[in-house]
Amino acid sequence: MHILVVGANGQIGKHLVKQIQENGDQARALIRKEEQADYFKELGAEVAIVNLEDEVEAIAKAAEGVDAVVFTAGSGGNTGKDKTLMIDLDGAVKTIQAAEKNNIKRFIMISSFDTSREAIQAAPESFAPYVVAKHYADEWLLNTDLDYTIIHPGMLTNDPGTNQVKLGAKVARGEVPREDVAKVIYTSLNNDSTIGKRFQVVGGQTPVEEAIQSVK
């Protein structure tokens, strides 16, 4: 499988590209800066340098010839509301449109743990714009004909992956290693039962492959 990883230089993205390459598939890492490329080239991944604030056509060109797209980009915690809007919402929508332009059906979105209207109302003022952006990016994807999966991870950590998670439509809030989120993404790509599904994921005691097979 040939997979475009959008936001590849993020921590989840790096884990995902590594897992793709180690399992015999081919990743194309979409990154923003040339100086970020060496890590991915050393893994044998392809590299596409595109700013998500560019037009849809630039992202579409980077997506040519792939079988699936994973959106794991984010503006980061140190940016303002403007970047949250431009990356987490507009960048996500443009990536969806780029997939559609290339007739790429498979699309995985990494969202926030809870993007419901209730979560927006409950979010602290500083965090609410991020939840809003993720809410509407999710809604846009849900209203396409793409073979989507939306993954809602819990509080992300840099702990080593355990290959064990708990996932479901609704689970209690908790932490989850970024490495395990990457494994959930990769396993979802290889399991059609996750198409048209959205689920939350936190650390747990169920092996990732088994947890993914239980998705309903």
Side-chain angles (χ1 to χ4, degrees):
M1 190 185 305
H2 201 168
I3 304 155
L4 178 69
V5 180
V6 179
N9 200 57
Q11 295 177 80
I12 292 174
K14 283 185 172 179
H15 282 300
L16 178 59
V17 171
K18 186 171 186 287
Q19 292 176 21
I20 291 168
Q21 295 301 120
E22 288 178 345
N23 283 279
D25 288 315
Q26 181 63 53
R28 181 178 299 163
L30 191 148
I31 56 177
R32 192 163 55 90
K33 300 177 182 177
E34 179 67 44
E35 53 263 36
Q36 298 169 341
D38 286 350
Y39 172 85
F40 303 102
K41 290 178 179 177
E42 289 174 5
L43 292 173
E46 300 169 357
V47 171
I49 300 173
V50 177
N51 190 323
L52 287 176
E53 295 185 52
D54 292 343
E55 294 303 313
V56 173
E57 288 72 21
I59 304 170
K61 183 173 177 59
E64 289 177 354
V66 303
D67 304 304
V69 175
V70 177
F71 187 89
T72 183
S75 57
N78 297 318
T79 59
K81 297 177 184 179
D82 55 341
K83 289 298 182 184
T84 299
L85 177 66
M86 298 305 294
I87 301 301
D88 297 275
L89 176 52
D90 194 47
V93 170
K94 288 187 293 190
T95 302
I96 293 166
Q97 292 173 330
E100 292 173 321
K101 280 179 176 288
N102 284 292
N103 296 311
I104 302 161
K105 293 294 287 182
R106 193 69 173 105
F107 196 104
I108 292 189
M109 176 77 82
I110 310 310
S111 188
S112 185
F113 183 71
D114 188 348
T115 58
S116 64
R117 296 300 311 177
E118 292 78 13
I120 293 171
Q121 294 299 320
E125 183 178 354
S126 60
F127 191 61
Y130 174 77
V131 183
V132 169
K134 290 296 188 183
H135 169 85
Y136 284 106
D138 291 351
E139 287 296 312
W140 191 283
L141 181 56
L142 289 168
N143 284 287
T144 69
D145 292 326
L146 298 181
D147 292 336
Y148 68 83
T149 304
I150 301 176
I151 298 172
H152 298 272
M155 186 178 297
L156 299 167
T157 75
N158 290 323
D159 295 335
T162 65
N163 195 38
Q164 293 184 314
V165 295
K166 179 178 182 179
L167 60 80
K170 282 286 185 182
V171 299
R173 286 186 180 271
E175 296 182 345
V176 60
R178 289 177 170 88
E179 187 175 0
D180 284 337
V181 176
K183 183 65 179 290
V184 168
I185 297 167
Y186 183 70
T187 306
S188 295
L189 283 167
N190 288 281
N191 193 320
D192 287 350
S193 69
T194 62
I195 291 174
K197 305 293 173 55
R198 57 191 306 182
F199 53 83
Q200 297 175 330
V201 58
V202 296
Q205 297 181 325
T206 305
V208 169
E209 293 85 352
E210 183 180 333
I212 290 296
Q213 290 171 2
S214 72
V215 170
K216 296 178 181 178

